[in-house]
Amino acid sequence: MAADTTAPALPLVESAVSGPDHPPASLQARAWLARRAEALAIPVGAVIAGFLLFSLFLLALGKSPLAFLDLVWRGGFGSPFALQNSLQRAAPLLLAALCVALPARLGLVVIGGEGAIVLGGVAAAAAAQPLQGFPPMLAVPLMALAAAGAGAAWIGAVGALRAYRGVNETIASLLMSYIAIALSNHLIEGLLRDAGSLNKPSTWPIGEAFAVGPMPGLEVHWGLGIGILACLAAYGLTERTTIGFAARIAGGNVRAAQIQGLPVGRLVVGFTALGGACAALAGFFEVAAVHGNANASLNAGFGYTGILVAFLARHNPLAILPVAFLLGGIEASNGLIQRRMQLPDATVLVLEGLLFLVVLVSETLYGRFKLFSPHLWAEKRGAVS
């Protein structure tokens, strides 16, 4: 089992005593605030450091970093239209990030969300055809169920390989993603292809009756609302249930979890399958709310950006919400950046790659700063271990 990167082991001030008396309440409160501040300060610092590195890249190209930031603000956050565009792009990122964050509770690094998204979209489009004529209130949930089932089976298989055959889940999920994309392309261009789609192969349209409309008051589809609810539900599952507690135990020390009789194999398969179902729902909404059919546009990179979202959020489902909005805004400004700064569309990918690299490096900083680490407060060694 891979080591858990989501929660570095830190001494627990609440349980530490130096003699017969417990630490003072004021010190307890300071220690609690210090650890929470660390969880916020290091990711924010990583984002700032990533932008600074990207600024050097822009300067090397003869472009202004300040102009870039201005265009990101205007294109992603500076107007009601920009905000809606950012929310639209954040919707699949919420669900894609959960495909990484949920297995991470068991110390697993699953990066196959892109394949689950594409496969989920194709499964939804395929399920729509035999359901033609059914009431939309019945057919649309069945389409979503077909998508979620495909994603759960695909990524759940990665968990099964890890739990029962010891196959590295990172490599397995990446290879399974490539297979899912190739299989989906084969179905779109072959068995499920609409004969009328000449220039851009696609499946038969799902029909207007099965289309998912926008949320009330927003020009953003219901994928955003479902993504928010999924993040809230994931937080409740991982932090407020015995199943989530068991998953954290297994992620911290799988041998100890097995000794305690926890069903580690079932936890691994269950959490990976749940993550795959979430990612596949993103594909369902791309078909039902955006494209109207399954085509090559499903392979838009949401699954890969979701990896960055999950790591920036440190696999916390609640933190995924603002991080997905931030990354959605950056991607929403991509077109404006291309036009105004004459930069290629891969520029935002360079920024995301630098952010991901810095975030990975920043994982080594937890527990190293005296300000955030109660066990390093020398003047309190008598009260805090």
Side-chain angles (χ1 to χ4, degrees):
M1 184 80 58
D4 184 7
T5 61
T6 64
L10 294 177
L12 297 177
V13 172
E14 290 81 357
S15 62
V17 293
S18 61
D21 298 324
H22 290 282
S26 60
L27 183 58
Q28 294 268 12
R30 285 175 55 198
W32 185 88
L33 289 173
R35 291 195 300 273
R36 271 52 182 187
E38 180 185 52
L40 176 64
I42 291 181
V44 171
V47 171
I48 294 173
F51 270 105
L52 291 176
L53 288 175
F54 184 70
S55 296
L56 297 178
F57 170 75
L58 290 176
L59 290 172
L61 295 178
K63 306 294 182 180
S64 169
L66 293 179
F68 178 86
L69 290 175
D70 177 63
L71 292 175
V72 168
W73 171 256
R74 290 165 58 188
F77 312 100
S79 68
F81 174 79
L83 286 172
Q84 288 190 339
N85 196 14
S86 298
L87 290 172
Q88 184 92 352
R89 291 176 179 268
L93 297 182
L94 295 172
L95 294 164
L98 289 176
C99 187
V100 182
L102 286 171
R105 289 299 180 177
L106 288 130
L108 304 176
V109 182
V110 173
I111 57 175
E114 185 72 11
I117 291 173
V118 175
L119 198 62
V122 172
Q129 302 313 309
L131 294 174
Q132 295 297 323
F134 279 59
M137 292 294 291
L138 174 63
V140 173
L142 288 176
M143 290 167 56
L145 186 62
W154 202 258
I155 304 300
V158 172
L161 288 171
R162 180 69 179 97
Y164 302 116
R165 288 294 180 266
V167 178
N168 182 277
E169 75 283 351
T170 305
I171 296 174
S173 60
L174 183 61
L175 294 178
M176 291 284 281
S177 180
Y178 290 144
I179 295 171
I181 293 171
L183 176 62
S184 298
N185 289 338
H186 175 74
L187 293 174
I188 290 172
E189 298 176 11
L191 182 63
L192 302 178
R193 180 172 180 173
D194 176 9
S197 59
L198 301 177
N199 295 327
K200 186 176 184 179
S202 61
T203 63
W204 293 94
I206 63 172
E208 293 184 6
F210 294 167
V212 175
M215 299 173 62
L218 290 174
E219 291 299 322
V220 182
H221 61 73
W222 274 98
L224 177 66
I226 297 300
I228 293 173
L229 291 176
C231 287
L232 296 176
Y235 178 80
L237 173 66
T238 57
E239 302 294 336
R240 295 292 184 266
T241 67
T242 55
I243 295 176
F245 180 71
R248 294 198 303 274
I249 295 283
N253 190 325
V254 63
R255 189 78 62 170
Q258 291 171 336
I259 292 174
Q260 292 296 322
L262 295 178
V264 176
R266 285 186 302 217
L267 286 171
V268 169
V269 175
F271 271 72
T272 51
L274 189 57
C278 289
L281 282 177
F284 159 74
F285 282 108
E286 287 297 299
V287 167
V290 179
H291 302 296
N293 55 35
N295 54 58
S297 296
L298 286 174
N299 188 13
F302 292 125
Y304 303 122
T305 307
I307 301 171
L308 175 58
V309 172
F311 273 83
L312 263 176
R314 300 205 73 231
H315 310 304
N316 184 329
L318 292 185
I320 284 174
L321 297 172
V323 174
F325 178 58
L326 172 64
L327 270 294
I330 292 174
E331 293 197 344
S333 64
N334 194 15
L336 184 63
I337 291 169
Q338 290 182 58
R339 294 192 300 271
R340 297 293 179 85
M341 298 188 71
Q342 301 299 309
L343 289 170
D345 59 356
T347 303
V348 168
L349 296 179
V350 173
L351 172 58
E352 291 179 351
L354 287 173
L355 288 175
F356 188 57
L357 178 63
V358 175
V359 167
L360 290 179
V361 173
S362 72
E363 287 290 320
T364 65
L365 301 179
Y366 288 91
R368 293 179 177 269
F369 294 103
K370 179 179 176 181
L371 177 65
F372 301 128
S373 302
H375 64 292
L376 297 180
W377 295 351
E379 68 276 11
K380 300 295 183 180
R381 286 188 189 276
V384 183
S385 62

